[in-house]
Amino acid sequence: MEDPILKRGDEWIEKLTPKLPTILNPSYWEDQLVQSLFASHEFQNQLFRFVDVFPALKTTENVVEHFRAYLENLELSPRVESLLSLTTSPLTQVMCQRLIKFSVEKMAKKYILAESLFSNKAFIKGLEYQGYRMSFDILGEATLTEREAKNYSDLYLSMIDRSDEINESQEPSKILNLSLKSTALIPHLSMVDHEGSVSKLVEALLPILMKAKEKHVFINIDMEQTDFHEIIYDAFEVCLLHEDLIDYEDIGIVVQAYTKDSEQRCLKLFELSKKRETSFAIRLVKGAYWDYEIAMARQRGWPIPVFTDKSKSDEQYDKLSTLLLENTKLIYPAFATHNLRSMVHISLEVEKNEVGSKGFEFQMLYGMAPAFGEFILAEGYHCRLYCPLGEMIPGMGYLVRRLLENSSNTGFLKKFHAGVDLKVLFSKPDSLDELKLDTHTYSKAPLLNFTQTEVREQFENALMEWEANFPICIGEHSHLEKVNVFNPNNKECIAEIEFLKEKDLLNVFEKADEAFVSWKKVSVKDKAKMIARCANILEEKRFKLASLMSLEVGKNWEEADADVVEAIDFCRFYAKQSEKELGLQEVISTMGESNCLNYEGRGVTLVISPWNFPLAILCGMTTASLLAGNTVVMKPAEQSALIAYELYKILLDSGVPEDVLYYSPCDGEKVLSKVCDHALVKQIAFTGSKEVGLELLQKSLCVENSMIRPVYAEMGGKNSAYIDNDTDFDEVIPHVLHSAFAFAGQKCSALSRLFIHKDIKDEFMERLLESVPTYQLEISTDKKCDVGPLIDETSFERVNDLLQVLEEDANVKQCYKSHDVPKQGYFVPISIYEVGDLKHPLMQDEFFAPILAIMCVDSFEDGMMKMNDSSFGLTASIFSRHPVHIEQAKERLEVGNLYINRGCTGAVVGRQPFGGLKLSGTGRKAGGTGYLQQFAVAKTVTENTCRHGFVSHET
Ligand code: FDA
């Protein structure tokens, strides 16, 4: 097969060369310019970033400032250098801004056909006259609000309505052909709520498809990130089997060859065609989200769903091209590619399978490779151009993707324009571009992939299993007080747990102290084995644990799963770190003097953990302390004593001796506060409120005149984000919503103060407020849940009181309050307030609630100052595309965890060691280096090895 490809490739190139732009043609020089601009990788990177931010820059000053900031320190071509020099003087800045605008628009016009289908009919007719077919796509990525989704849908409906203006006849080649993106039809598609998402998408697609059928318009569904594949393909199937559409042929869907399951996908689509006994189209592409897929898979710890070697994508494309051409009775194949080699392969397979020119078509993106299109038409094939329509601003994401494809080193077009040898261009794809995968210090547990049916089923089953066994009773001591644990979703009692009294706790301290000596002697290696085993058991029981958290503390599925993953990661990370950080450390010894430093346990650690990360935080503090050689008394939050009990059992099953670890639920205020300053407690690991943390610290300053007891206290935050005047709202708003409202704002890292630059405040708020309703308040065990209930009655009453006070507070303006609040559990509305005074409690006090305070700021400077005005210093986000602002924020913001262009929650063990400054906490960062050592005492031993002038040489 390879020789015929080379042979035909040779022939094609010979015929194609005269069609390529010559030096007399302006597009030759445009191409040359683009190629030279992209010669340096760093320049290309910075230029794309600038192109990406450009639509958001409203003033001349802002344009030139960004242009300078992005390109200033790079090696530049004389042309760009002279443009940059215009940015320095106010006299030439306007000219510079115009030149930049002109260039960016020119670049955009190369790939974006027109503003609307009807604004450039003459041009469209011209393309038709040349022989092209077209598919029109309204630019725009995922929508954020119902209104935007409706607008998108209305635009398609109106194009279909007016299709007579474009459709000249009902010949298949002539009918209007539209491509559409599913994520633009539905704001906030949920991976967990698969069924809900499918039915929403079907509901949005059906009217479009019905009207398209009536008016003889072709609709093609584009394919997006793998996160949405199952939803999109399932919705496609439902629509195609709908009784009114079952005989509708003018519909198609995309298959991305770079996904590893693309062959199965084609086979499933063949089955669908057989089932409905009507053909439809499959557009075969390689796939446009390659970087995104890899980055997401790595961050979530998932297997990479796409090939990481370009040649594998090419090979798969060839294989699937053949498969589609062998099945033209079932489907109509459309081959979307600019790769001449892939096209040559298809042309040969077309002949082999005797598929006539009506049986398939080539497709290309408008503006990408015009000469190839012309050539393909001249060869007698059909060629359809994918023509984006729309304005520059929503189109920029698309444009940057096109620029990336055009300039990617592995891409065919780049190699072709760079004059790579024809033999190389047309030979069988080789495997040179294999991606090097990261090697991590520990192996991070993957998050659950809720796009998979079996994963969702396992979660559902685990929930049912718990519910069938409620209420659970723990303990059988008649003298102990029985305390009920409630499901915050419906206030039902799910467990009855025995709480220790003062004397029981003292008894526990004594027993833990007695066991310390023997635990100290267990090697670090053996302890690490136990903790690594604990990680494995946690992973085996992940559904059981996550579903319990959903029931006990009201976490939704994804949040509960993330909590389990964090617990597993703590175990694996600390077990790995313990080899380096604990036990005997290397120090310098010299002749006649032997030195060593040893980290060993301190004694009994009292671990006091919160309910908001009931598994992860308890597990992290406990395992770190055990590894460092301490015995541990675990005092879980009253509200999450059940999940803590599960962890306790798992630790014992992992090999931790019973006399080393004590599950000690009790009333914190009435019982623990009386005994926690006991001298047998040698250190305290605490995560919770500032008040309790400070009290513990004070009580530990001088314990019975014999020690200063270390207290590692993580005490919360009043976390802020800043929105600069150059941000892309589409990117920012999902981060803001998630950071502020996920888990009902009950994370210590949650966003509660949002500072917005005055230039964009109104526009930003309009979009933010419209997108909040897409966040659904729902019981946490329901797949639809984005925001669940508050933890308990006390919290519920406190927040309701606060909301009441705010209703009557003239100093704040309520911007949003959700209406559909579930009635049965501890649910409160999502609320957003605009606040004018930085000293207002909404701006200074910590509330665990889905409440966001916003404040307008005059400038970046103003924003930085206001963010630092807090007694807390835990997390912060800055959303900006100004390189100088990003650098300044890194220097100036007084927080333990700063996030740039992402939300301020969700720290990952080992990647974002976590912990705050100021009143947010003391101690080393959880999930970071050095954390284990704080739980141990470091002992240096020096021995004089000289004896009467004789020096032992063994030292
Ligand atoms: P080329 O042969 O140069 O292939 C480039 C492609 O190879 C990349 O896009 C990527 O898929 C793959 N690749 C690059 N590096 C790789 C590596 N290291 N390992 C593995 N694979 C690697 N895309 C999409 O996702 N959904 C859609 O709906 C559409 N729709 C669409 C319509 C039309 C008409 C066209 C022409 C294209 C699309 N695309 C798309 C885009 C398409 O997926 C693809 O990105 C471009 O067409 C570039 O691929 P070529 O075959 O043209 O070039």
Side-chain angles (χ1 to χ4, degrees):
M1 185 68 193
E2 285 312 300
D3 280 344
I5 287 188
L6 281 176
K7 190 162 165 278
R8 182 158 298 177
D10 240 6
E11 288 163 18
W12 278 23
I13 292 292
E14 207 166 295
K15 289 194 229 166
L16 173 69
T17 310
K19 294 193 186 313
L20 294 173
T22 63
I23 50 171
L24 299 176
N25 188 328
S27 62
Y28 171 85
W29 293 106
E30 275 171 28
D31 285 349
Q32 290 300 306
L33 179 64
V34 171
Q35 297 306 323
S36 74
L37 286 179
F38 296 148
S40 141
H41 183 71
E42 211 185 348
F43 176 77
Q44 176 189 312
N45 201 24
Q46 292 299 86
L47 189 70
F48 285 153
R49 286 174 170 227
F50 176 72
V51 171
D52 174 55
V53 69
F54 179 75
L57 307 176
K58 300 281 186 285
T59 62
T60 302
E61 194 191 0
N62 228 348
V63 172
V64 293
E65 231 186 68
H66 279 75
F67 189 67
R68 203 169 41 233
Y70 274 102
L71 301 179
E72 204 160 40
N73 298 317
L74 302 178
E75 222 174 272
L76 300 171
S77 68
R79 192 190 279 251
V80 182
E81 191 82 63
S82 53
L83 193 55
L84 196 66
S85 68
L86 298 179
T87 61
T88 46
S89 154
L91 293 174
T92 50
Q93 280 181 352
V94 174
M95 183 162 68
C96 175
Q97 184 249 355
R98 282 197 193 131
L99 281 170
I100 292 169
K101 185 164 179 274
F102 175 76
S103 311
V104 175
E105 268 173 0
K106 195 151 192 256
M107 236 191 265
K109 277 187 191 146
K110 208 166 144 58
Y111 303 99
I112 300 172
L113 183 93
E115 273 203 11
S116 85
L117 184 55
F118 308 103
S119 63
N120 207 348
K121 278 201 261 181
F123 190 69
I124 293 171
K125 287 281 159 232
L127 287 172
E128 251 177 35
Y129 183 73
Q130 290 172 50
Y132 288 110
R133 300 166 173 193
M134 272 156 278
S135 184
F136 300 98
D137 154 77
I138 296 176
L139 283 174
E141 309 285 312
T143 49
L144 294 177
T145 71
E146 296 291 351
R147 185 177 55 87
E148 285 164 9
K150 182 164 184 315
N151 277 350
Y152 185 80
S153 164
D154 285 349
L155 277 169
Y156 274 86
L157 288 169
S158 93
M159 283 200 290
I160 299 170
D161 255 339
R162 291 177 63 184
S163 60
D164 299 340
E165 293 176 37
I166 301 287
N167 277 358
E168 282 192 336
S169 75
Q170 282 168 18
E171 210 188 298
S173 62
K174 291 281 185 209
I175 69 169
L176 177 64
N177 183 310
L178 304 175
S179 294
L180 65 80
K181 292 207 167 36
S182 308
T183 57
L185 284 174
I186 308 289
H188 187 51
L189 267 182
S190 158
M191 289 193 271
V192 180
D193 182 18
H194 176 82
E195 294 77 11
S197 297
V198 170
S199 73
K200 275 189 205 163
L201 185 54
V202 168
E203 208 178 298
L205 279 171
L206 278 179
I208 296 176
L209 296 177
M210 300 278 191
K211 189 168 272 262
K213 183 182 172 195
E214 180 198 324
K215 303 281 280 183
H216 300 286
V217 171
F218 188 104
I219 302 288
N220 194 84
I221 316 283
D222 284 357
M223 200 44 62
E224 305 175 57
Q225 300 91 315
T226 48
D227 287 348
F228 306 123
H229 278 196
E230 297 304 325
I231 298 171
I232 297 174
Y233 285 114
D234 283 358
F236 182 74
E237 178 162 344
V238 174
C239 290
L240 262 70
L241 295 175
H242 188 281
E243 56 180 354
D244 295 337
L245 295 172
I246 198 142
D247 56 349
Y248 173 41
E249 269 197 328
D250 299 328
I251 180 162
I253 194 152
V254 170
V255 171
Q256 296 162 328
Y258 70 179
T259 56
K260 291 175 184 165
D261 65 354
S262 48
E263 186 174 355
Q264 280 93 319
R265 190 63 73 187
C266 288
L267 297 176
K268 268 192 181 169
L269 289 169
F270 295 164
E271 286 310 307
L272 173 62
S273 171
K274 284 182 202 158
K275 205 164 166 186
R276 71 196 291 258
E277 296 175 5
T278 310
S279 168
F280 55 85
I282 294 183
R283 175 198 293 160
L284 186 65
V285 303
K286 278 175 200 154
Y289 303 83
W290 188 79
D291 292 310
Y292 175 87
E293 296 292 356
I294 294 185
M296 282 303 114
R298 280 179 171 172
Q299 284 180 27
R300 296 159 172 170
W302 291 357
I304 295 175
V306 298
F307 295 113
T308 54
D309 176 342
K310 164 84 166 77
S311 67
K312 297 248 166 63
S313 297
D314 288 345
E315 245 177 63
Q316 184 77 347
Y317 195 86
D318 287 355
K319 187 175 176 190
L320 298 185
S321 306
T322 306
L323 184 68
L324 297 191
L325 287 167
E326 285 167 353
N327 285 280
T328 48
K329 287 208 171 71
L330 296 173
I331 51 94
Y332 173 81
F335 299 105
T337 177
H338 314 99
N339 183 325
L340 285 179
R341 191 202 169 280
S342 304
M343 289 188 236
V344 166
H345 171 265
I346 291 160
S347 73
L348 291 167
E349 287 296 308
V350 162
E351 285 158 23
K352 197 170 121 199
N353 289 287
E354 295 175 2
V355 178
S357 69
K358 283 196 171 158
F360 81 104
E361 67 185 33
F362 284 113
Q363 296 191 347
M364 292 182 205
L365 300 174
Y366 170 73
M368 270 292 261
F372 291 7
E374 251 183 72
F375 167 74
I376 283 295
L377 288 177
E379 283 298 289
Y381 299 112
H382 293 301
C383 181
R384 188 179 299 278
L385 295 179
Y386 182 99
C387 301
L389 302 169
E391 294 167 45
M392 260 224 296
I393 293 187
M396 230 16 139
Y398 174 83
L399 177 62
V400 169
R401 239 184 291 141
R402 293 296 73 84
L403 292 173
L404 276 169
E405 275 170 21
N406 240 346
S407 58
S408 147
N409 281 335
T410 57
F412 181 88
L413 285 179
K414 173 86 185 242
K415 287 185 183 162
F416 178 80
H417 289 300
V420 168
D421 188 68
L422 291 186
K423 280 221 163 56
V424 177
L425 273 183
F426 284 94
S427 57
K428 195 172 163 52
D430 58 18
S431 303
L432 288 176
D433 309 317
E434 188 78 61
L435 183 84
K436 301 224 171 10
L437 295 173
D438 297 345
T439 45
H440 295 294
T441 46
Y442 81 105
S443 131
K444 193 193 151 3
L447 290 164
L448 285 178
N449 184 348
F450 286 109
T451 64
Q452 296 169 356
T453 315
E454 61 280 11
V455 170
R456 295 192 301 274
E457 278 171 5
Q458 281 192 71
F459 206 104
E460 246 155 14
N461 292 340
L463 279 169
M464 284 193 292
E465 217 168 291
W466 278 114
E467 281 169 328
N469 288 304
F470 284 154
I472 290 165
C473 297
I474 298 175
E476 46 202 29
H477 301 91
S478 55
H479 76 285
L480 290 179
E481 187 193 352
K482 305 269 187 295
V483 174
N484 290 337
V485 175
F486 297 98
N487 176 346
N489 289 296
N490 54 18
K491 306 182 191 173
E492 275 172 18
C493 171
I494 60 171
E496 211 184 67
I497 293 182
E498 276 178 359
F499 270 29
L500 306 194
K501 296 185 175 161
E502 266 173 63
K503 71 173 182 358
D504 307 302
L505 263 180
L506 292 174
N507 192 15
V508 165
F509 293 159
E510 273 162 29
K511 286 206 270 182
D513 183 56
E514 274 164 32
F516 171 59
V517 184
S518 56
W519 181 241
K520 207 167 121 177
K521 287 188 189 141
V522 176
S523 70
V524 173
K525 207 169 171 185
D526 285 343
K527 289 182 189 123
K529 274 189 199 154
M530 293 175 205
I531 302 307
R533 219 175 286 138
C534 173
N536 294 342
I537 305 178
L538 285 168
E539 199 158 23
E540 273 164 34
K541 298 191 169 186
R542 61 185 303 169
F543 287 98
K544 188 176 173 193
L545 297 166
S547 56
L548 176 58
M549 267 188 277
S550 189
L551 289 157
E552 191 181 23
V553 299
K555 290 205 168 199
N556 74 8
W557 291 25
E558 279 170 312
E559 296 288 335
D561 173 55
D563 202 319
V564 180
V565 163
E566 194 177 359
I568 301 169
D569 288 349
F570 275 135
C571 291
R572 297 208 168 120
F573 180 74
Y574 291 149
K576 186 98 186 169
Q577 286 297 112
S578 67
E579 294 164 21
K580 280 186 251 161
E581 290 188 20
L582 299 171
L584 221 51
Q585 306 286 304
E586 219 174 275
V587 284
I588 301 167
S589 288
T590 188
M591 204 170 155
E593 176 192 279
S594 153
N595 297 316
C596 72
L597 182 139
N598 195 25
Y599 279 100
E600 55 184 45
R602 201 173 251 123
V604 178
T605 308
L606 175 59
V607 169
I608 309 173
S609 69
W611 50 262
N612 62 348
F613 286 89
L615 187 67
I617 294 183
L618 178 61
C619 181
M621 296 195 294
T622 302
T623 53
S625 184
L626 288 170
L627 279 164
N630 309 286
T631 53
V632 174
V633 176
M634 289 193 334
K635 189 300 196 188
E638 290 85 334
Q639 300 88 336
S640 57
L642 195 50
I643 187 80
Y645 186 62
E646 291 300 313
L647 175 66
Y648 168 70
K649 288 190 293 180
I650 289 171
L651 279 163
L652 295 190
D653 289 346
S654 314
V656 176
E658 263 186 50
D659 59 349
V660 164
L661 179 67
Y662 296 85
Y663 171 68
S664 309
C666 62
D667 186 317
E669 223 173 291
K670 287 196 211 130
V671 178
L672 187 72
S673 62
K674 297 211 178 92
V675 294
C676 65
D677 58 346
H678 197 281
L680 282 179
V681 176
K682 292 295 186 293
Q683 58 190 346
I684 298 178
F686 168 80
T687 303
S689 74
K690 180 180 79 179
E691 291 67 29
V692 177
L694 294 179
E695 190 189 323
L696 290 171
L697 277 156
Q698 266 155 11
K699 281 184 175 167
S700 299
L701 269 180
C702 186
V703 180
E704 292 189 4
N705 265 339
S706 65
M707 69 166 166
I708 299 165
R709 180 172 43 216
V711 176
Y712 321 115
E714 196 64 68
M715 296 182 292
K718 189 71 193 165
N719 311 300
S720 32
Y722 166 72
I723 316 289
D724 214 348
N725 62 356
D726 62 358
T727 50
D728 177 348
F729 301 167
D730 289 350
E731 298 269 330
V732 177
I733 287 174
H735 286 299
V736 167
L737 291 177
H738 185 77
S739 307
F741 304 129
F743 192 37
Q746 300 174 105
K747 303 178 188 180
C748 48
S749 56
L751 171 65
S752 62
R753 315 189 301 165
L754 187 64
F755 297 101
I756 311 170
H757 193 289
K758 67 175 185 339
D759 290 356
I760 46 120
K761 188 221 148 204
D762 292 343
E763 209 185 325
F764 181 84
M765 282 307 290
E766 196 184 324
R767 297 232 22 227
L768 177 74
L769 298 181
E770 270 189 48
S771 39
V772 197
T774 64
Y775 250 59
Q776 203 162 337
L777 276 157
E778 189 50 84
I779 58 167
S780 60
T781 48
D782 190 311
K783 281 185 275 188
K784 287 197 280 297
C785 171
D786 292 306
V787 181
L790 294 183
I791 185 69
D792 60 12
E793 184 89 39
T794 318
S795 194
F796 178 71
E797 278 172 8
R798 195 184 309 131
V799 173
N800 273 322
D801 289 349
L802 171 71
L803 292 174
Q804 194 63 44
V805 171
L806 291 172
E807 291 266 317
E808 287 145 27
D809 186 341
N811 296 316
V812 298
K813 183 180 135 205
Q814 188 184 76
C815 310
Y816 183 84
K817 185 175 174 187
S818 37
H819 300 297
D820 299 330
V821 184
K823 297 279 176 290
Q824 70 276 40
Y826 300 121
F827 288 89
V828 293
I830 293 176
S831 312
I832 301 180
Y833 293 91
E834 184 164 1
V835 185
D837 176 9
L838 199 56
K839 297 296 169 210
H840 191 281
L842 270 188
M843 280 286 164
Q844 295 296 335
D845 301 343
E846 189 183 30
F847 302 106
F848 267 16
I851 301 176
L852 180 65
I854 63 131
M855 183 176 265
C856 184
V857 294
D858 290 336
S859 60
F860 169 77
E861 277 295 312
D862 192 23
M864 294 300 103
M865 263 164 34
K866 290 191 162 120
M867 283 172 93
N868 280 338
D869 189 331
S870 168
S871 55
F872 292 105
L874 189 52
T875 72
S877 292
I878 132 152
F879 293 95
S880 174
R881 288 185 281 183
H882 194 314
V884 176
H885 288 179
I886 291 174
E887 285 313 307
Q888 286 184 6
K890 286 185 202 166
E891 268 172 39
R892 294 174 51 181
L893 287 174
E894 295 157 7
V895 288
N897 285 62
L898 171 64
Y899 298 95
I900 293 157
N901 291 321
R902 57 152 277 185
C904 57
T905 59
V908 175
V909 173
R911 294 218 300 258
Q912 289 108 21
F914 187 79
L917 316 176
K918 301 183 183 172
L919 285 181
S920 285
T922 65
R924 304 298 289 262
K925 283 185 179 289
T929 50
Y931 185 73
L932 294 178
Q933 286 177 348
Q934 76 177 347
F935 285 92
V937 283
K939 212 182 259 178
T940 306
V941 178
T942 299
E943 186 182 349
N944 175 3
T945 54
C946 292
R947 298 282 186 278
H948 301 289
F950 168 73
V951 180
S952 161
H953 286 273
E954 280 166 25
T955 55

